[in-house]
């Protein structure tokens, strides 16, 4: 049982769950004065989650370096585009 809990997939799943709760808390927090700031935070969190999913669940982490760079470039381009739309 211990070996099942201490796997990379389980750790990734726990991080994804925690970050999802964080982004929900940011979106429902009365302390966030501007919806733009909340939107940017949520987009950055979503991009972080997407990178974790791509690297660990789609196993790009073990792929050739060029594929990892393309995946990271895609996430960066998507992030710049989405954040640019918010501002």
């Amino acid at each position: 049982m211990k070996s099942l809990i201490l796997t990379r997939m389980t750790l990734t799943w726990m991080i994804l769950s925690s970050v999802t709760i964080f982004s929900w808390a940011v979106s429902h927090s009365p302390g966030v004065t501007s919806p733009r700031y909340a939107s940017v935070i949520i987009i950055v969190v979503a991009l972080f989650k997407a990178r974790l999913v791509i690297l660990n669940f789609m196993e790009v982490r073990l792929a050739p370096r060029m594929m990892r760079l393309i995946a990271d470039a895609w996430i960066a381009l998507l992030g710049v585009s989405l954040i640019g739309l918010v501002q």
Side-chain angles (χ1 to χ4, degrees):
M1 181 70 174
K2 187 177 181 180
S3 64
L4 183 65
I5 293 173
L6 298 177
T7 64
R8 178 180 287 275
M9 294 292 184
T10 306
L11 178 63
T12 302
W13 179 79
M14 284 193 249
I15 292 170
L16 288 170
S17 298
S18 301
V19 172
T20 300
I21 293 168
F22 170 76
S23 65
W24 178 84
V26 167
S27 68
H28 288 80
S29 172
V32 178
T33 57
S34 172
R36 287 184 179 171
Y37 294 132
S39 298
V40 170
I41 291 170
I42 291 168
I43 289 170
V44 169
V45 167
L47 293 170
F48 173 73
K49 288 169 53 177
R51 186 168 190 272
L52 280 179
V53 168
I54 289 170
L55 289 178
N56 294 308
F57 292 111
M58 297 175 73
E59 297 183 2
V60 173
R61 180 178 51 87
L62 303 174
R65 184 174 184 193
M66 185 55 96
M67 184 177 253
R68 288 192 312 261
L69 290 174
I70 289 171
D72 286 341
W74 179 77
I75 290 173
L77 180 64
L78 183 65
V80 168
S81 301
L82 289 175
I83 291 172
L85 289 173
V86 171
Q87 301 296 332

